[in-house]
Amino acid sequence: MIIDTTEVQAINSFSRSESFKEAIGLIWTLVPIFTLVSGITIGVLVIVWLEREISAGIQQRIGPEYAGPLGILQALADGTKLLFKEDILPSRGDIRLFSIGPSIAVISILLSYSVIPFSYGLVLADLGIGVFLWIAISSIAPIGLLMSGYGSNNKYSFSGGLRAAAQSISYEIPLTLCVLSISLLSNSSSTIDIVEVQSKYGILGWNLWRQPIGFIVFLISSLAECERLPFDLPEAEEELVAGYQTEYSGIKFGLFYVASYLNLLVSSLFVTVLYLGGWNLSIPYTFIPELFGISQTGGVFGTTIGILITLAKTYLFLFISIATRWTLPRMRMDQLLNLGWKFLLPISLGNLLLTTSFQLLSL
């Protein structure tokens, strides 16, 4: 049997070229993910710094000022310290649940960022069920908290985990009903479509004006989902030491800390996308791209302006969340559940029925 060396060389070169193409494709797939994760990490560091500065201003004291200019590196220094601290495990706890819990909380929240549009066409995954994917994924995080509380073999931790699960169930339903109302108004569940529908009428087309009741309910439910004051019952220091975090130390405690701010940031971004028009801002900004011959919805300049507008709206909501933390007292657990089931749920359901009736009458 005679083997043609030319054919063998051709096959080898073809296989090498295919392998090279696959490697390039993998790299181009990982680059957006790495960029998104890097941006989220920087955003969390900024939020931690802002919370400390705003808290210091409200309490009339000096905030962080030594770690870097104006103390901007304080969060990075704290994270580095936690990374090198000893990882202590409870002797009688369930080590597997204890170790997996923080990872589930962080990963489930990180996946939510994949459907958030930061500017025109700048989204990791434009899915037709984008907003409901966020709700489905965010409901996984309390499972990680419950696993952490149960695996700690500590009554305070277990109580904190149960509170986290109960609180999530109570406020997930009003949150979902508000999102469903927005989807009905937009005739789509895609985050891109929701933003573009709001851009048709400028600022007056924002869902903030079309759904004021839903916006308030969404705002309260988002704070409860993020376990921010006055809804931080799962980790109430006066009652549960630190709740589900009591037995954690080192980087695992740091993961809970990061998950809290990741959840706050993703909720703020969804407030911007669902109610504040996303990257659109129909005021004198619109003539700037025309002046430079660049489309408002394309090009580097337009994309950059869209990102800045999205972040400006997001950090406005973050400021409100941080100021609320140092303004309102913590609620009792029974008050928290009553607010969710007896007040927010009927209001959000009524808002959904009104929205549905309006949509049917307008057909």
Side-chain angles (χ1 to χ4, degrees):
M1 180 178 180
I2 301 174
I3 300 177
D4 190 349
T5 55
T6 306
E7 292 182 2
V8 173
Q9 292 175 356
I11 292 173
N12 291 335
S13 62
F14 177 77
S15 60
R16 284 195 297 269
S17 63
E18 287 297 317
S19 301
F20 180 74
K21 289 180 181 179
E22 291 177 0
I24 294 297
L26 179 61
I27 291 173
W28 279 112
T29 302
L30 294 177
V31 165
I33 298 175
F34 177 77
T35 304
L36 180 62
V37 172
S38 301
I40 293 169
T41 304
I42 296 173
V44 168
L45 293 177
V46 172
I47 294 173
V48 175
W49 177 78
L50 278 177
E51 176 146 40
R52 287 176 167 172
E53 288 291 336
I54 294 171
S55 303
I58 292 175
Q59 298 176 346
Q60 296 184 347
R61 58 180 174 82
I62 299 174
E65 58 177 347
Y66 296 110
L70 301 176
I72 58 177
L73 298 180
Q74 185 63 54
L76 192 61
D78 291 341
T80 305
K81 179 186 72 174
L82 288 173
L83 187 62
F84 290 101
K85 272 186 169 291
E86 183 182 1
D87 183 20
I88 301 175
L89 302 175
S91 59
R92 297 185 179 182
D94 191 320
I95 303 303
R96 288 180 297 178
L97 295 180
F98 185 83
S99 302
I100 294 174
S103 303
I104 290 178
V106 173
I107 293 172
S108 61
I109 298 172
L110 276 175
L111 290 174
S112 303
Y113 286 88
S114 60
V115 296
I116 296 178
F118 292 89
S119 185
Y120 178 79
L122 194 61
V123 60
L124 196 62
D126 182 15
L127 303 178
I129 55 169
V131 287
F132 291 107
L133 179 67
W134 164 56
I135 292 174
I137 292 176
S138 63
S139 62
I140 299 175
I143 298 177
L145 306 184
L146 183 59
M147 290 169 60
S148 302
Y150 180 79
S152 299
N153 193 26
N154 181 313
K155 62 180 180 180
Y156 299 110
S157 300
F158 188 47
S159 297
L162 290 175
R163 283 187 177 189
Q167 182 170 322
S168 174
I169 294 171
S170 301
Y171 287 87
E172 195 80 36
I173 300 174
L175 193 75
T176 305
L177 293 176
C178 292
V179 172
L180 187 56
S181 300
I182 297 296
S183 296
L184 284 173
L185 281 178
S186 307
N187 292 320
S188 175
S189 298
S190 168
T191 51
I192 294 283
D193 293 342
I194 291 173
V195 173
E196 290 182 343
V197 167
Q198 296 178 75
S199 65
K200 291 181 180 179
Y201 306 102
I203 294 179
L204 297 178
W206 290 359
N207 290 324
L208 171 64
W209 317 117
R210 304 167 70 190
Q211 289 276 306
I213 298 175
F215 173 73
I216 295 173
V217 173
F218 189 92
L219 199 69
I220 297 173
S221 300
S222 297
L223 290 177
E225 281 288 305
C226 299
E227 298 170 8
R228 299 281 300 180
L229 271 164
F231 305 106
D232 67 332
L233 273 301
E235 49 191 77
E237 300 92 356
E238 296 88 346
E239 307 165 26
L240 303 178
V241 187
Y244 53 84
Q245 307 178 54
T246 301
E247 299 294 335
Y248 282 89
S249 63
I251 191 59
K252 291 178 181 175
F253 175 81
L255 287 177
F256 280 125
Y257 193 76
V258 170
S260 172
Y261 285 100
L262 284 174
N263 205 4
L264 181 61
L265 180 58
V266 76
S267 297
S268 304
L269 286 166
F270 270 103
V271 169
T272 300
V273 169
L274 297 177
Y275 291 96
L276 301 181
W279 66 82
N280 289 297
L281 189 64
S282 299
I283 57 174
Y285 140 74
T286 54
F287 74 86
I288 297 177
E290 297 174 3
L291 181 65
F292 288 91
I294 302 174
S295 170
Q296 178 181 344
T297 57
V300 177
F301 186 84
T303 301
T304 304
I305 292 293
I307 294 174
L308 293 177
I309 292 172
T310 301
L311 293 179
K313 295 175 182 178
T314 300
Y315 278 91
L316 174 63
F317 174 76
L318 286 169
F319 174 79
I320 296 173
S321 303
I322 295 170
T324 302
R325 174 179 180 178
W326 303 101
T327 305
L328 301 178
R330 177 184 292 122
M331 305 174 70
R332 296 197 314 266
M333 192 64 195
D334 61 315
Q335 293 174 331
L336 177 91
L337 296 177
N338 285 337
L339 177 64
W341 288 106
K342 296 182 180 180
F343 189 73
L344 294 183
L345 179 58
I347 290 178
S348 58
L349 185 58
N351 180 65
L352 176 61
L353 293 176
L354 285 175
T355 305
T356 307
S357 303
F358 175 78
Q359 290 294 94
L360 290 174
L361 292 174
S362 62
L363 291 177

